[in-house]
Amino acid sequence: MTSHAITSTEPTSVGWRSALPIAAVAVVAAYGLMSSDYVVTVLGFAFIYAIFCTGLNFFMGYTGQASFGQSAFAAIGGYGSAILCTDYGWEPLLALIATMAISGVVAAVVGYPTLRLRGHYLAMATFALGLIAYEITIEWTSLTQGYMGYAGIPPLGLGGFELATLKQQFIAIVVMALIGVGVASRLRQSRFGRALASIAGSELAARALGVDIARYKLVAFVIAALYASAAGSLFAHFVGFISPEIYGTSMVIQSFAMLYLGGIGTTWGPMLGAVIVSVLPEALRGLKEMQDIAYTAILIFILIFAPRGLAGLTVLFRRARRPALGKA
Amino acid sequence: MPSLVEFLQSIVNGIGLGLIYGLVGIGFCVIYNASGIVNFAQGVFVMLGGMVCQVLLAELGLPIWLAIMVTIPLVALSGMVMEFAIVRPMMHRGATLFAIILATLAAQIMIERITLITFGDRPRTFSEFTSGGPFKIGGVAIGYQLFWILGCGALLVFLLWLFFTRTRVGRALRACSQNSEAAQLLGVPVSQMMLVAFALSAALGAIAGILVTPTQYTAYNVGTPFGVNGFIAAIIGGFGRAGGALAGGLLLGVLQALAIVALGAGFKNVAALSALLVVLLLFPNGLFAGFGSAARSQ
C-alpha cells in the first residue's frame, strides 16, 4: 500500500515560529470580544472545531490513518456532559474531564480490534462507529431524549464560579484550543510524535525500526478521541442545547473540510481551517440552507487541487529558500 | 415472544430488502474492481433512483415503464459525472486513498442537499408496479412488489453475468480489475472503463431504488443506510465478488429483519453495523472465502 499521509516538513523548533499564529489567534479573539454576541458564537464554534480537528489531525495527519467516526466521541463528550450536569448536578469542568476519560476508554476498547484494519476497511469501520453512535443518540431515548435533544445544559464553570456571559466562555474556549494545539505540537516533536510520523511514512519501515505500530496507532486514536470528547462537551456547555444532528455525518464532513483546507499534518492548519470554514458561510449570508453544499464543494475542490491545504503553502515558501535540501 | 408466522414474515421481508442490498453491493464491487476505490456515494444512486422516478410519475404523469426507462439513464449519467468531475482528476493527481473516499462521501452529501433543496424533505413513494395482493401463504403475506424485486433481481444478476462473460466491454472491465496495466498494454481503454463502471454501478443503484421505493418510501436522506448496508453486503461476500455481495445482501437482509423482531425497529441499523464490524474483524476476506473462491483469486 502506498503511503497516504501528508507528512509535513515543519521544523522541529517551536520558538518564534509559533509567535505569529498565537498573535493571529489573539487578534481574532480580540475582534470577537469587541463584536456582537453573534460573532462571538460563530468564533466560539470555530475554536471548538479547532480542538476537534487538532485531535483528528493527530490520527490522520501525523499517523496517516483515517477515522470517519470521530463524531462518536464528540457525542460521548456532549451527551455525557449534558447528562452529568443537568440530571446529576455535576460541575461542568469535572463532567468534561470525566467524559474525556470515558471517551478515552471507549476509544481504546473499540480501537484495539478496529485499528488492525487498513485502507477502505478502516474508513468504513470507523464510519460505522460514527453511525452507530448517531443511531444510539436517536434511539436510546431514556438516556438521550432522542430527537428532542437535551436542553438547559449549564455554562462552563467550576465550584460556584460560573462563566456567565458568552464572552467569558469564548475566552475559556480559545485558551483551551491554544492549550490543545500546544500539547499537540509538543507531542509531535517528542519521540512519540516521531514514531507516529514514521508509521505515516511507511508501516513496514517503522516496524523494522522497532516501532510498536499497533500500540502507537491506538494511542494516537485515543488522543484524537480525547480532543473530540472535549470539543463535544464544550459545544454542549457553550450552546446549552444538543441534539443527535449536531454529532451526525455533517460534523465529520465539516471537520474534514477544515482539516484539509487548513493543511492536514501541520500544527496550526486545523485551527486555521476551522476558523475559515466557520466564518466563510457567515460571510456569504443568505446561504443558510446551502451551507452543507458550500462545505462539500470547498472540500472536493481542495481535495482535487490543493490536498496540502493553506498551511502547505508555507512549506513551498520554505523549500524555495533552501534549495540545497533537494527534492523532498 | 414472536410467533412462527411473524418469524417467517420477517424472513420474507428480509429477503426482499436483502436482494436490494445485494444489488447495491454489486454496484460497490463493479467500481472497486475497475478502479480499486470504494465509492462511498453508492447509496445516493438508490435515493436518486427512487426520487427521480417518483417525480417523473407524480409530477409529469409518465407511465411507470417510461419513468423507469428515463430514470435509469439519468442516474447512470450522474454516476458518470461523479467519475469525470471528481474521481478522475483525483486519480490523475495521485490523490491518497482516504482523500478519494472522502471526496465521494462529500459528493454524496452534496447531492443529498441539492435534492433536499430541490424536492423538499417530504417522504415520497409510488404505488407498486402491479396492484392487488398481498399474496397469502398461511398467515404470511407476500406483497406483489416482492415478486417484482425477486424477479428483477434474478434477471439482473443473469444479465450481469452475461455482460461480464459474453461481451467485449464486460470482459475488458474484468481485465481492468485483474491487472489494469496489462489491460492498458493490450489496448483496453482503462479510463473509459472507469466511466462504464460508474455508469453501470449507478444504474444498478437506481434500479434498486426504483424497486424498493413502493415497499417503503424515499427521501433525500435514504441513501446512507442503503449505501452502508450495500457495503456491508459486499464485505460479507468478500469485497469485489459480485456473487458474494448478492449472497451477503440476502444474509444481511434476513439478519436485519430478525433484529427488528427481536430488538425493535430502531436498532436494525445498529445490528447491521455491528455485523459489519464482526465480519471485518473476524472474517476480513468475507464469510464465503473458504469455499474455493479464495483459492481462485490468489
Side-chain angles (χ1 to χ4, degrees), chain A residues 113 116 121 124 135 253 304, chain B residues 93 109 231 235 269 280-281:
Chain A
R116 288 185 314 172
Y121 292 102
M124 193 38 118
E135 294 279 339
I253 284 293
I304 295 175
Chain B
R93 282 156 206 271
I109 291 181
F231 183 85
I235 291 276
N269 289 333
L280 273 179
L281 298 173

Side-chain angles (χ1 to χ4, degrees), chain B residues 56-292:
Chain B
L56 291 176
L57 281 171
E59 281 166 33
L60 298 183
L62 297 186
I64 180 81
W65 60 269
L66 188 60
I68 293 173
M69 286 301 169
V70 175
T71 302
I72 294 172
L74 272 181
V75 178
L77 189 68
S78 78
M80 289 163 84
V81 169
M82 197 182 286
E83 196 277 339
F84 191 76
I86 299 174
V87 176
R88 184 173 303 199
M90 292 191 79
M91 302 255 297
H92 275 308
R93 282 156 206 271
T96 63
L97 178 69
F98 289 136
I100 297 178
I101 291 175
L102 182 55
T104 60
L105 188 63
Q108 154 146 3
I109 291 181
M110 184 189 262
I111 295 173
E112 279 180 5
R113 293 292 146 172
I114 292 171
T115 312
L116 172 65
I117 291 172
T118 325
F119 298 120
D121 59 357
R122 183 172 59 90
R124 296 152 178 266
T125 190
F126 46 86
S127 52
E128 302 195 348
F129 295 176
T130 38
S131 57
F135 187 72
K136 291 246 182 192
I137 307 174
V140 181
I142 306 174
Y144 284 172
Q145 190 65 22
L146 184 62
F147 291 108
W148 277 103
I149 293 177
L150 293 176
C152 292
L155 184 67
L156 268 179
V157 170
F158 178 67
L159 288 177
L160 278 174
W161 176 76
L162 279 184
F163 172 74
F164 278 115
T165 55
R166 295 286 191 273
T167 67
R168 266 182 89 82
V169 178
R171 287 177 181 178
L173 264 177
R174 276 168 61 216
C176 290
S177 72
Q178 279 169 12
N179 187 336
S180 69
E181 273 175 36
Q184 184 133 38
L185 286 174
L186 290 170
V188 175
V190 173
S191 59
Q192 284 177 33
M193 285 300 119
M194 292 259 303
L195 216 50
V196 172
F198 268 82
L200 179 61
S201 177
L204 279 172
I207 294 169
I210 295 167
L211 283 172
V212 80
T213 299
T215 67
Q216 35 184 286
Y217 68 92
T218 185
Y220 75 98
N221 58 359
V222 298
T224 305
F226 280 114
V228 171
N229 286 321
F231 183 85
I232 298 172
I235 291 276
I236 293 176
F239 214 84
R241 282 193 289 274
L246 192 68
L250 289 172
L251 208 61
L252 181 67
V254 172
L255 175 82
Q256 258 193 353
L258 294 179
I260 293 174
V261 175
L263 303 171
F267 285 94
K268 67 173 204 264
N269 289 333
V270 177
L273 293 164
S274 309
L276 166 72
L277 291 180
V278 169
V279 172
L280 273 179
L281 298 173
L282 301 182
F283 309 96
N285 293 319
L287 284 185
F288 318 116
F291 301 152

Side-chain angles (χ1 to χ4, degrees), chain A residues 11-59:
Chain A
T12 43
S13 70
V14 195
W16 63 271
R17 272 182 224 279
S18 52
L20 186 67
I22 290 175
V25 170
V27 169
V28 171
Y31 170 75
L33 290 176
M34 287 185 293
S35 309
S36 65
D37 275 0
Y38 179 73
V39 176
V40 174
T41 311
V42 171
L43 287 176
F45 289 160
F47 283 99
I48 290 172
Y49 260 104
I51 297 174
F52 184 88
C53 294
T54 302
L56 189 60
N57 190 35
F58 237 98
F59 192 61

Side-chain angles (χ1 to χ4, degrees), chain A residues 112 115 192 196 199 211-221:
Chain A
Y112 183 73
L115 298 187
F192 169 71
L196 296 186
I199 294 174
V211 176
D212 185 345
I213 295 176
R215 207 180 94 211
Y216 277 95
K217 273 188 193 172
L218 188 63
V219 174
F221 188 62

